[in-house]
Amino acid sequence: MLDNALRRYMEPPLDVVARWSADRVGTPTVVTGVGFAIGMGACAAAATQQWTLALVLWLLNRFADGLDGSIARRRGPTDLGGFLDIMADFAVYGAMLVAIGFALPEARLAALGVLLMYYISGSAFLAWSSLATKNGVAGDGRSLVFPPGLAEGAETVVAYVVVLLFLSRTSEILWIWAIAVGVTAVQRLIFVVRTLRQIEAAHDTRTIPDVS
């Protein structure tokens, strides 16, 4: 929900860092890999209840996720880069929930609830991205076409920060987050069904011969 708005504010400073780092850190894929390693470090820290370290590494992981996109825009984005980026994101998102559930047994059921909602919502957006490409639906310049929803990347960053700051309320916060992701899944379902019906209707209009 906040991704497009935040991207307008975050892109200028990220572009400054990208200009400095583009020739020093290598390809965007290298940044994605480093960011993934940092994200896994955040998960390991959470699993061992090193919560401050987990928070710092989580924020660094998200910074790297933004930086690889900025470098990719300067060098020219690739499908492989987009694929690896989304795989790394999903792996860290899920692993963080596993780590929190491991460290806090009382939050395990809520963490499983979020994972289930991730599975449903993620399936909707990945399937839509493929169908959107097939039907020539334009995206926002990223490798995948994202349907709109309440819980997107920016909200995920905030949700995990809140969890790591308010550990005594982890279960409640995760249940709220599960509901938000579930709402997103429903939003995406409605959006995709409505859009595909519009595409099919337009296609039928074009293919029906004029017999007048």
Side-chain angles (χ1 to χ4, degrees), residues 39-148:
M40 288 296 104
C43 298
T48 54
Q49 301 189 34
Q50 300 177 70
W51 301 112
T52 301
L53 178 60
L55 176 59
V56 171
L57 292 177
W58 165 249
L59 292 174
L60 286 174
N61 166 261
R62 294 297 86 202
F63 174 77
D65 182 60
L67 181 61
D68 64 7
S70 294
I71 296 175
R73 283 190 293 274
R74 294 182 62 82
R75 290 173 171 245
T78 65
D79 290 339
L80 176 60
F83 170 76
L84 293 175
D85 182 65
I86 197 65
M87 288 292 293
D89 284 349
F90 272 41
V92 173
Y93 290 172
M96 182 61 80
L97 289 171
V98 172
I100 291 170
F102 178 81
L104 303 172
E106 67 276 12
R108 286 176 186 171
L109 186 58
L112 285 173
V114 177
L115 279 173
L116 175 60
M117 293 300 103
Y118 277 171
Y119 181 85
I120 297 170
S121 182
S123 297
F125 109 70
L126 290 173
W128 165 244
S129 184
S130 176
L131 292 170
T133 302
K134 174 184 174 183
N135 287 281
V137 178
D140 57 6
R142 290 180 286 182
S143 298
L144 300 176
V145 182
F146 289 74

Side-chain angles (χ1 to χ4, degrees), residues 125-181:
F125 109 70
L126 290 173
W128 165 244
S129 184
S130 176
L131 292 170
T133 302
K134 174 184 174 183
N135 287 281
V137 178
D140 57 6
R142 290 180 286 182
S143 298
L144 300 176
V145 182
F146 289 74
L150 173 64
E152 298 179 340
E155 290 78 15
T156 305
V157 176
V158 173
Y160 283 23
V161 167
V162 172
V163 166
L164 293 171
L165 286 176
F166 300 97
L167 295 168
S168 63
R169 299 293 183 183
T170 297
S171 184
E172 294 94 327
I173 294 167
L174 286 178
W175 279 122
I176 293 170
W177 181 234
I179 292 170
V181 179

Side-chain angles (χ1 to χ4, degrees), residues 8-22:
R8 289 194 295 269
Y9 291 101
M10 294 301 297
E11 280 184 358
L14 283 172
D15 285 342
V16 171
V17 179
R19 284 197 299 271
W20 179 87
S21 60

